[in-house]
Amino acid sequence: MDRVASRAARKHHPLNAHFDLTYRCNERCVHCYLDHEDHGELTTAEILRVLEELAAAGILTLTFSGGEIFLRPDFFEILAAARRLHFDISLKTNALLISAEHAARLRESGVRSIQISVYSDEPAVHDAITKIPGSHERTLAAVPLLVAQGLKVKLACPLMPQNLLAYRGVMALAEKLGASYSFDPTITPMMDGSGGPLIHRVSTAALLPVLQDPVLSACYPRPAAQTDAAMPSGKPVPSLTSAVSSGFEFAAYEDIPCSAGHNSVYISPYGDVLPCVQLPVPAGNLRRQRFRDIWYHAESLEQLRAVRDSQLPVCGSCEIRSYCERCPGLALMEGGDVLGAYERACELAEQKARLAGVAHPLSALHAPGATARQAVGPCKTNFLVTTDNSFYRKGHDA
């Protein structure tokens, strides 16, 4: 896989696709970043054609998500077509609609893994977040059905003030049910750029008990710029799963700020092609263009691929960059510049570096002169929100 990733990154071949089949949902989670109205989803025939184009382009791993994927009556038809094309398939669902029959069909279809959102081991807490009474019971009822079929199930728990310490109960619940688990403190703006969901974001100070939990810790590599005295080798520091993590599994991604647009892509229920769901910069639409034409010729993707971590006007010189999970999309939506730094990532990086033993960690954003560097840095690209709530390129100078 490292050789595959290296070749794909070098040639900008697509490997991974996240395909939201619908934004409609049978829950109304307080932190959700989606508009749940149906503004004209792709038809079954259109989706099957798109899958053919993705396969022809070389996509290997495919994640079906939403909204709630099981609200589409054609879901199993779509899934069967995807498996005939030999995609490695993962699903994201709230599991409210999964029955024993569905679980068996998923196993027969060769689905590799299923991620299910669980916000607490306490029904009242979970249901308050989803706004659907009884959703906790219905979601958890599906997990044993899936596990009994031999499917890999992960309980995913976004962390918010109302469920911050629920992760301990979710860990115990996952162990009891035979599932794995992940926790994510990343709450993002809505896709149109509005910040409503951010009221449910946990402050970095409040996250400290979670960051200090040894069960969730991992060993970060020692940055070259740090001395042994500043950062003891191999000392465990916190590691939480993040939907917008810039940490990479493969050496092929060295000096790339994010894999989005390099070998991963996001497709909306309306056929919009974006680098990532958190980087809503449209590159094209599959109702009007072929996937290969968009992937290899869209100007916005070409600009994104030209950027390197070391070129970032502020973050490129940050001494604690190895602790940072900077997301280009959130840099755009929260900081106003896809190449810039933004407060949340810098605060978390400082907190993690401090817990790792770095003395007086200071991100480049908080260093003297950071504002000026961010304003005049190289390869600056600006985006704006248009009246139809899409992000488009406003202009750039390299």
Side-chain angles (χ1 to χ4, degrees):
M1 282 305 300
D2 191 55
R3 292 197 305 272
V4 171
S6 296
R7 184 180 177 86
R10 187 169 63 251
K11 295 180 175 292
H12 305 303
H13 289 331
L15 271 183
N16 315 301
H18 178 151
F19 196 162
D20 277 349
L21 298 177
T22 181
Y23 286 157
R24 291 176 289 123
C25 193
N26 47 6
E27 293 183 335
R28 286 295 180 268
C29 297
V30 296
H31 62 292
C32 188
Y33 54 82
L34 298 175
D35 171 6
H36 294 304
E37 297 299 320
D38 181 359
H39 298 287
E41 295 172 358
L42 295 171
T43 65
T44 306
E46 287 175 321
I47 289 176
L48 299 189
R49 174 181 55 79
V50 168
L51 293 179
E52 294 275 359
E53 293 183 11
L54 297 180
I59 293 288
L60 174 63
T61 64
L62 180 61
T63 298
F64 285 133
S65 183
E68 176 46 52
I69 53 179
F70 287 97
L71 285 177
R72 286 200 64 126
D74 58 356
F75 172 70
F76 280 103
E77 181 180 354
I78 293 169
L79 179 59
R83 286 299 296 131
R84 284 195 298 271
L85 293 167
H86 306 293
F87 291 111
D88 174 52
I89 298 175
S90 299
L91 307 179
K92 293 186 177 182
T93 174
N94 58 37
L96 292 185
L97 299 176
I98 292 180
S99 64
E101 179 186 357
H102 287 154
R105 293 183 70 180
L106 292 174
R107 177 72 180 104
E108 292 166 2
S109 298
V111 169
R112 179 169 60 84
S113 64
I114 302 171
Q115 178 174 301
I116 298 174
S117 298
V118 176
Y119 301 105
S120 175
D121 60 320
E122 299 180 16
V125 175
H126 177 98
D127 293 359
I129 291 174
T130 66
K131 297 185 180 179
I132 303 297
S135 58
H136 185 266
E137 181 180 359
R138 292 168 61 192
T139 290
L140 292 185
V143 176
L145 301 177
L146 297 166
V147 172
Q149 292 292 334
L151 291 161
K152 295 180 181 178
V153 178
K154 176 183 287 185
L155 307 188
C157 182
L159 299 178
M160 295 169 273
Q162 53 268 59
N163 73 334
L164 179 58
L165 297 183
Y167 75 90
R168 294 171 180 152
V170 173
M171 289 167 60
L173 189 61
E175 183 176 353
K176 176 183 176 181
L177 294 173
S180 59
Y181 55 83
S182 66
F183 305 99
D184 187 358
T186 307
I187 303 297
T188 69
M190 294 193 69
M191 286 190 72
D192 65 5
S194 60
L198 298 184
I199 64 172
H200 301 287
R201 175 181 282 176
V202 181
S203 70
T204 52
L207 269 176
L208 190 58
V210 182
L211 295 173
Q212 290 176 314
D213 192 323
V215 177
L216 301 179
S217 67
C219 288
Y220 274 67
R222 182 175 60 216
Q226 296 288 348
T227 65
D228 287 350
M231 183 179 178
S233 177
K235 183 174 181 177
V237 296
S239 176
L240 292 175
T241 299
S242 174
V244 296
S245 173
S246 60
F248 298 109
E249 183 178 353
F250 302 116
Y253 300 123
E254 185 179 358
D255 207 26
I256 295 176
C258 178
S259 63
H262 287 271
N263 56 24
S264 62
V265 68
Y266 169 78
I267 300 170
S268 82
Y270 312 119
D272 294 314
V273 176
L274 316 174
C276 170
V277 67
Q278 299 301 340
L279 186 52
V281 182
N285 185 278
L286 293 168
R287 279 179 162 145
R288 300 184 293 273
Q289 301 156 277
R290 295 189 310 163
F291 177 76
R292 289 182 66 92
D293 292 338
I294 296 171
W295 180 262
Y296 288 108
H297 302 296
E299 185 180 358
S300 60
L301 293 180
E302 291 177 357
Q303 291 179 34
L304 214 57
R305 292 166 188 155
V307 177
R308 292 294 178 267
D309 230 18
S310 55
Q311 291 178 303
L312 298 175
V314 174
C315 304
S317 60
C318 186
E319 295 182 357
I320 57 171
R321 181 70 178 95
S322 62
Y323 298 96
C324 184
E325 294 185 346
R326 176 190 177 275
C327 166
L330 294 184
L332 170 62
M333 289 196 281
E334 297 189 34
D337 184 358
V338 74
L339 302 184
Y342 62 101
E343 190 67 29
R344 173 70 169 187
C346 297
E347 288 179 352
L348 282 172
E350 290 173 353
Q351 190 75 279
K352 291 179 179 180
R354 188 175 298 110
L355 290 172
V358 177
H360 310 297
L362 188 66
S363 70
L365 179 64
H366 297 149
T371 303
R373 290 200 305 277
Q374 182 148 347
V376 301
C379 301
K380 185 173 177 59
T381 305
N382 295 311
F383 296 83
L384 74 153
V385 185
T386 65
T387 54
D388 65 351
N389 292 329
S390 297
F391 284 80
Y392 288 95
R393 182 177 56 86
K394 184 167 66 175
H396 77 289
D397 40 272

